[in-house]
Amino acid sequence: MTSLALLTAALALTASGCKKAAPAPLPPPIVQVLDLVATNVARTADFIGQLDSPQNVEVRARVEAFVQEVLFTEGSNVFQGQPLFLLDAQPFEERLAAANGMLAEAKAALDKYRADVDRLRPLAEKMAIPKQDLDNAMASVAVGQANVESAEARVKSAKLDLGYCDVRAPVSGYIGAKAVSKGSLVGKGEPTLLATISELHPIWCYCALSEVDYLVAERTAREAGRHVGELPVSLILADGSEHPDLGKWVFVDRAVDVKTGTIRARAEFPNPQKLLRPGMFARIRLSLRSDGGNILVPERALVELQGKSFVWIVGADNKVTQRSVRVAPVRVREHGVVLEGLKEGERVVVEGLQKLREGAPVRPMTAAQIAEAAAQAAKNAETSHAKQDDAKSGKE
């Protein structure tokens, strides 16, 4: 129960202990007021986001083989070109040897076909042999050349498969847990996942901005002569702490998702200590602007009606009037930032709004005054009850 309600109850209790009197006009209702003071307001907007690496690289087996060795420590930094896995290479060495043998045969056959052409050409020129024999020999050279090229391709493929048995890090980054163990068969039917490497410095944070939030941020930035991508961005972690390094917007999607009414955005943050990891949830805090001379009003004092905001003002004659105000879309610590309609020194009603009507008199009190009056009224009511009890005991 609020202090205002306690005061009202205590006054009613005190009145019940008094002797009945002639009906009198009801006193003005007590309302809690706040004296408005202009202040500097740092306007911010928070968005829920999730961290992700700029580069998540899956290391996969590209040949079918058994894992012979695991050459890295899980959960450590690795560098591009560093050996990670060693697969059983013996079958691929045998295939390479066979391919080299077939290449040698193809080259030997080609040499024979070329020698036949060199031997038959002078004879054909002298018409000592049919010209068809020379044509057949030249065709054999073309076939032999094709066989050599095919054998060279098989050798190249065998070398490539043999090279895939030495699995190395394609990029530098932080490697996670191994997905296979020594002795596992990998690459059978599909490229088996072996491990994943993620870049952690810098790190990205994805979030979904509502249309309203995006428009407010963009408009505020332009009022300051800047683009929304240039506004300072901070990262609030799950434990409530703030990441020490500021970030920046690096991507805002081209369109709004019609299903969710949000637009996807991405901010980038330095992460030299590797504290932030992909998958973490965090809040992106966008610093819109630090304004001077703004009026903060508790949200409970604002009345929303047909898309407009109103407050109740207590005048110098202690009569209330409702006034329209323009409130910034961004809230600050459960307070609305009033851009137009109020000025410093005025009194706004923050509690007891249900008792008000236009032009009616009220009894304005601050929170401290209400608490003090409630305590005094309760004390008076207790004293009154004690006197009644004493009087009743004396009659008995």
Side-chain angles (χ1 to χ4, degrees):
M1 185 179 291
T2 64
S3 297
L4 184 58
L6 287 173
L7 175 59
T8 303
L11 291 177
L13 183 61
T14 303
S16 66
C18 300
K19 295 181 179 179
K20 293 183 178 180
L26 291 175
I30 299 174
V31 294
Q32 182 179 329
V33 297
L34 176 69
D35 294 326
L36 299 179
V37 179
T39 183
N40 291 335
V41 178
R43 294 166 58 186
T44 62
D46 287 6
F47 310 104
I48 300 298
Q50 188 172 17
L51 303 182
D52 196 9
S53 168
Q55 193 172 32
N56 293 309
V57 180
E58 294 181 341
V59 181
R60 292 184 176 270
R62 304 178 70 173
V63 292
E64 182 180 341
F66 288 96
V67 177
Q68 202 168 54
E69 295 291 342
V70 179
L71 305 174
F72 70 94
T73 302
E74 296 174 292
S76 64
N77 284 309
V78 296
F79 303 94
Q80 185 174 5
Q82 177 179 333
L84 301 179
F85 294 90
L86 184 63
L87 307 183
D88 183 11
Q90 185 175 353
F92 301 98
E93 291 172 347
E94 294 174 356
R95 292 177 193 176
L96 177 59
N100 282 325
M102 295 176 65
L103 176 60
E105 291 179 3
K107 287 182 177 180
L110 178 59
D111 291 340
K112 178 184 179 302
Y113 297 148
R114 286 173 176 170
D116 290 343
V117 170
D118 293 340
R119 178 172 51 84
L120 295 175
R121 181 174 286 116
L123 296 176
E125 291 174 353
K126 295 177 182 181
M127 298 184 179
I129 60 171
K131 188 175 182 301
Q132 185 177 358
D133 292 347
L134 177 61
D135 292 341
N136 291 339
M138 294 178 67
S140 297
V141 170
V143 172
Q145 181 64 44
N147 289 337
V148 169
E149 292 176 357
S150 179
E152 288 176 343
R154 284 193 290 270
V155 170
K156 185 177 180 180
S157 177
K159 287 181 178 179
L160 195 61
D161 287 344
L162 180 60
Y164 289 151
C165 292
D166 181 14
V167 182
R168 295 175 177 264
V171 295
S172 298
Y174 199 87
I175 193 166
K178 63 180 185 291
V180 296
S181 301
K182 183 177 178 179
S184 301
L185 177 63
V186 298
K188 185 175 178 60
E190 63 179 10
T192 306
L193 176 65
L194 304 178
T196 302
I197 301 174
S198 296
E199 181 184 348
L200 298 182
H201 176 56
I203 198 163
W204 287 346
C205 185
Y206 285 94
C207 64
L209 308 180
S210 70
E211 294 181 55
V212 173
D213 290 335
Y214 171 74
L215 292 174
V216 169
E218 189 66 56
R219 187 181 301 112
T220 305
R222 291 182 180 181
E223 289 175 357
R226 305 169 72 181
H227 186 269
V228 68
E230 301 171 348
L231 296 177
V233 180
S234 54
L235 191 67
I236 311 301
L237 305 181
D239 62 355
S241 63
E242 184 172 341
H243 188 57
D245 297 313
L246 293 177
K248 60 181 179 180
W249 292 110
V250 293
F251 165 75
V252 178
D253 209 348
R254 63 171 187 84
V256 173
D257 187 336
V258 295
K259 296 180 180 179
T260 61
T262 59
I263 184 169
R264 196 165 185 245
R266 181 177 70 222
E268 182 179 278
F269 294 89
N271 188 29
Q273 304 299 324
K274 309 296 191 300
L275 173 66
L276 306 179
R277 301 296 177 89
M280 284 183 172
F281 284 93
R283 286 183 292 121
I284 291 180
R285 177 163 294 166
L286 179 62
S287 299
L288 298 178
R289 187 173 60 193
S290 182
D291 294 334
N294 279 331
I295 301 294
L296 290 183
V297 175
E299 289 184 342
R300 65 181 185 276
L302 295 170
V303 179
E304 302 288 340
L305 183 62
Q306 296 181 350
K308 296 184 178 180
S309 298
F310 299 88
V311 295
W312 287 95
I313 300 297
V314 179
D317 56 357
N318 287 343
K319 293 183 178 180
V320 293
T321 182
Q322 195 174 57
R323 185 184 300 175
S324 174
V325 294
R326 185 167 73 90
V327 182
V330 179
R331 296 296 194 258
V332 177
R333 299 182 300 276
E334 298 182 352
H335 285 69
V337 181
V338 178
L339 304 177
E340 295 178 1
L342 294 177
K343 59 184 179 180
E344 189 173 10
E346 292 186 308
R347 295 180 295 177
V348 63
V349 179
V350 295
E351 281 193 20
L353 277 68
Q354 69 278 6
K355 308 174 185 178
L356 306 179
R357 57 187 178 85
E358 186 68 26
V362 294
R363 184 182 174 188
M365 302 179 70
T366 64
Q369 291 172 337
I370 288 176
E372 183 180 353
Q376 184 62 43
K379 183 178 180 180
N380 293 341
E382 184 179 352
T383 303
S384 175
H385 278 298
K387 290 182 178 180
Q388 291 179 5
D389 293 340
D390 292 342
K392 185 177 180 180
S393 299
K395 289 180 179 181
E396 291 177 353

